Amino acid sequence: MELTTTSSTSTTTTIPRVLKGFRDALPCAEIARERLIAKIKKTFSLYGYAPIDTPCLEYEEILLSKSGGETEKQIYAFTDNGGRRIALRFDLTVPFARFVAEHVHKEIELPFKRYHIGKVWRGEKSQAGRYREFYQCDIDEVGSTSASSDAEIINAIASALLAIGVDNFKVHISHRALLQDLTSKLGYKDKGADILRILDKMPKIGKEAVHEQLLGLSVSEDDVNDFILFASFKQDASVLKDISNITSSFKKGINESAIQRLCDIYSLLNENIKPHIVLDFSITRGLDYYTGFVFETFITGSENTGSISSGGRYDDLTSHFTKEKISGVGGSIGLDRLLSIISASGQQNMGTADVYVVSKDGSVPDSKLIQCLRGNEIRTDVAFESVKNNKAYRYAELNLIPFILFVSESGYYLKNIATREEEKVESQSDMIKKIKSQLVNNEV
């Protein structure tokens, strides 16, 4: 293995690089992220969710207590200097379960609603829109078992997506009891978790791969076909207006209480959200802590990138930490994946400033002018030294600043970087009006 250093007679320099699946966030990308987060926070708060935070590091046994499946292979865990087994959180839900168990009936009371936006870490294969370090935006409600709380999770997440300008999405909903009931009927109750985990992969790996993996669990050919047929059921969720539309489709029967729950949830959704809902029996969620209603969200045309939001009901999540049974439901938005899709669609990031002020005679621009711009909520960057035009243009382009304001003894000259058009502005008030009006016209 080669050393990642270069040497000279006097120094050794380490080659700068980041770990695979990790990345630096440049200013414009980070501004775009913060802008989305602000809109998501505003939406979540409108639904009555309050912010919390939990440590990035937890005891390993805490994080693995309810995860199961492939999570143990993906978690970043190590022994610290005190000999304790600790790990980086792989999601925000299990730490929330620990949080609730520690604080319930003390600092918080049920029902309790929270949102939490922060980084999580998973040692899985990195690919487009999928990283090993990424942000999640979670909302959860614990202490209620009602269909209304399930519906509110979908309403809040879908409303957040609409608030950030994403409207071409579909929320695929299902209920884990549907496939769990089928595994019991076909005699595979002891393999239920593994079967559900495989079927959950069907949109990603296809029916043939699912077929082979189910055969590998010693499921008979006929039963494999039944599982795949059942999990292939996908229709517009408007069919939930009448439960008979679904129960009559399956000769071997179906868990009617689970279907009724989905009908109740659908009836409680906002009218502007209902067109975005799809009933999809392949959705089971790979994490074992889900016990009821589940969902995943996809951007139309970018389904191969994966779900940008998911969640469901987890009635038994806190049972490892407390004897009190606390029901919960929650959802998460994958911010990095969402930003990746938005970027791929051609939408631009937001610049570091709205205007770059440059003095043509090389002097520092008047501080009162700068204060005036910022006082009018125009994000203003300033050249503190003499800058040639080409360098000013390059600076503005790299930082996605849409306008340069050249200041000289003869007046103000506002240049649009995209068009290279320049116009003289007679007064500060006119200048502010023109910048604001053009910012609205060029808003990302």
Side-chain angles (χ1 to χ4, degrees):
M1 181 176 179
E2 294 184 2
L3 294 174
T4 59
T5 57
T6 58
S7 60
S8 65
T9 55
S10 59
T11 62
T12 299
T13 304
T14 301
I15 297 175
R17 59 177 184 163
V18 295
L19 291 166
K20 185 177 181 180
F22 295 76
R23 59 194 174 140
D24 292 323
L26 293 171
C28 292
E30 196 64 14
I31 290 169
R33 186 200 315 278
E34 290 184 353
R35 190 184 186 196
L36 292 189
I37 288 176
K39 292 182 177 181
I40 292 170
K41 284 182 175 181
K42 182 177 180 180
T43 303
F44 288 173
S45 65
L46 288 174
Y47 279 81
Y49 294 87
I52 68 163
D53 196 12
T54 60
C56 297
L57 288 172
E58 299 268 4
Y59 285 102
E60 183 182 31
E61 64 182 35
I62 295 287
L63 296 181
L64 295 179
S65 61
K66 296 292 289 185
S67 58
E70 299 178 355
T71 303
E72 190 168 356
K73 302 174 185 177
Q74 298 174 352
I75 199 169
Y76 283 100
F78 57 94
T79 302
D80 70 2
N81 292 337
R84 294 171 290 263
R85 288 294 297 171
I86 58 178
L88 285 166
R89 63 192 184 200
F90 66 89
D91 74 357
L92 301 177
T93 305
V94 176
F96 177 56
R98 190 266 310 151
F99 174 96
V100 171
E102 279 199 65
H103 300 286
V104 70
H105 307 312
K106 301 171 186 174
E107 297 89 354
I108 64 173
E109 194 50 79
L110 302 176
F112 178 68
K113 299 165 69 173
R114 78 84 159 99
Y115 73 81
H116 185 185
I117 299 177
K119 284 186 175 182
V120 298
W121 294 264
R122 295 181 189 175
E124 56 189 355
K125 184 178 180 180
S126 58
Q127 51 188 288
R130 195 180 193 91
Y131 305 95
R132 292 172 177 169
E133 178 184 60
F134 55 96
Y135 279 86
Q136 283 191 336
C137 304
D138 280 22
I139 51 171
D140 290 85
E141 178 173 352
V142 291
S144 172
T145 59
S146 73
S148 295
S149 59
D150 294 345
E152 188 174 75
I153 291 292
I154 298 181
N155 280 330
I157 287 181
S159 295
L161 292 175
L162 292 173
I164 62 179
V166 176
D167 58 6
N168 58 333
F169 64 90
K170 293 291 183 181
V171 182
H172 295 232
I173 66 172
S174 189
H175 198 295
R176 278 177 69 96
L178 295 171
L179 277 166
Q180 287 172 337
D181 192 51
L182 183 61
T183 58
S184 296
K185 286 180 179 178
L186 297 180
Y188 299 100
K189 186 175 182 180
D190 59 329
K191 299 177 181 178
D194 292 329
I195 290 172
L196 263 64
R197 199 172 297 117
I198 292 171
L199 290 170
D200 185 59
K201 299 176 183 178
M202 193 159 68
K204 305 169 189 173
I205 65 176
K207 293 181 181 180
E208 291 186 8
V210 167
H211 187 278
E212 292 302 314
Q213 290 188 24
L214 289 176
L215 288 177
L217 289 178
S218 299
V219 177
S220 72
E221 182 76 27
D222 288 344
D223 291 340
V224 166
N225 292 332
D226 282 339
F227 279 125
I228 292 177
L229 178 65
F230 191 94
S232 299
F233 182 89
K234 184 187 299 184
Q235 293 190 29
D236 185 276
S238 59
V239 298
L240 289 168
K241 293 178 180 178
D242 186 349
I243 192 172
S244 63
N245 291 332
I246 302 161
T247 55
S248 61
S249 302
F250 297 96
K251 296 179 181 179
K252 293 187 177 180
I254 194 169
N255 188 315
E256 291 194 14
S257 64
I259 290 295
Q260 185 59 58
R261 179 68 169 207
L262 293 174
C263 290
D264 294 341
I265 293 170
Y266 181 77
S267 70
L268 293 163
L269 295 176
N270 298 342
E271 289 303 316
N272 68 320
I273 303 301
K274 287 182 178 179
H276 295 277
I277 311 301
V278 175
L279 183 61
D280 183 353
F281 288 171
S282 71
I283 303 299
T284 65
R285 302 294 295 128
L287 297 170
D288 292 343
Y289 53 64
Y290 291 110
T291 57
F293 146 75
V294 287
F295 71 92
E296 292 196 19
T297 309
F298 302 91
I299 301 293
T300 303
S302 300
E303 289 86 353
N304 290 338
T305 305
S307 173
I308 53 97
S309 175
S310 59
R313 177 157 289 279
Y314 44 86
D315 288 340
D316 300 321
L317 186 64
T318 58
S319 61
H320 187 81
F321 309 118
T322 176
K323 293 181 180 179
E324 180 181 2
K325 185 173 182 179
I326 301 175
S327 178
V329 61
S332 176
I333 296 176
L335 243 185
D336 294 270
R337 185 173 292 179
L338 182 58
L339 281 167
S340 175
I341 293 172
I342 291 174
S343 176
S345 70
Q347 296 186 42
Q348 296 180 351
N349 290 325
M350 191 174 182
T352 59
D354 298 322
V355 62
Y356 181 40
V357 181
V358 178
S359 176
K360 282 198 168 184
D361 61 11
S363 63
V364 177
D366 181 22
S367 61
K368 290 183 179 180
L369 167 65
I370 306 305
Q371 290 175 21
C372 178
L373 289 167
R374 291 171 178 165
N376 282 274
E377 298 186 347
I378 295 173
R379 298 178 306 140
T380 306
D381 195 357
V382 185
F384 294 113
E385 300 172 351
S386 178
V387 178
K388 292 183 178 180
N389 285 1
N390 288 341
K391 187 174 181 180
Y393 298 153
R394 176 165 172 76
Y395 182 88
E397 287 171 344
L398 282 175
N399 290 285
L400 300 181
I401 302 173
F403 304 105
I404 296 178
L405 179 65
F406 288 108
V407 181
S408 70
E409 291 183 358
S410 60
Y412 306 117
Y413 298 85
L414 186 64
K415 180 174 283 288
N416 185 312
I417 295 301
T419 65
R420 286 296 196 269
E421 294 178 355
E422 183 176 291
E423 62 176 312
K424 185 175 181 180
V425 185
E426 297 300 331
S427 66
Q428 288 190 9
S429 60
D430 286 344
M431 171 185 62
I432 289 167
K433 287 179 182 179
K434 286 184 180 294
I435 292 175
K436 284 199 167 186
S437 64
Q438 292 191 55
L439 284 173
V440 170
N441 294 333
N442 290 276
E443 186 176 1
V444 177

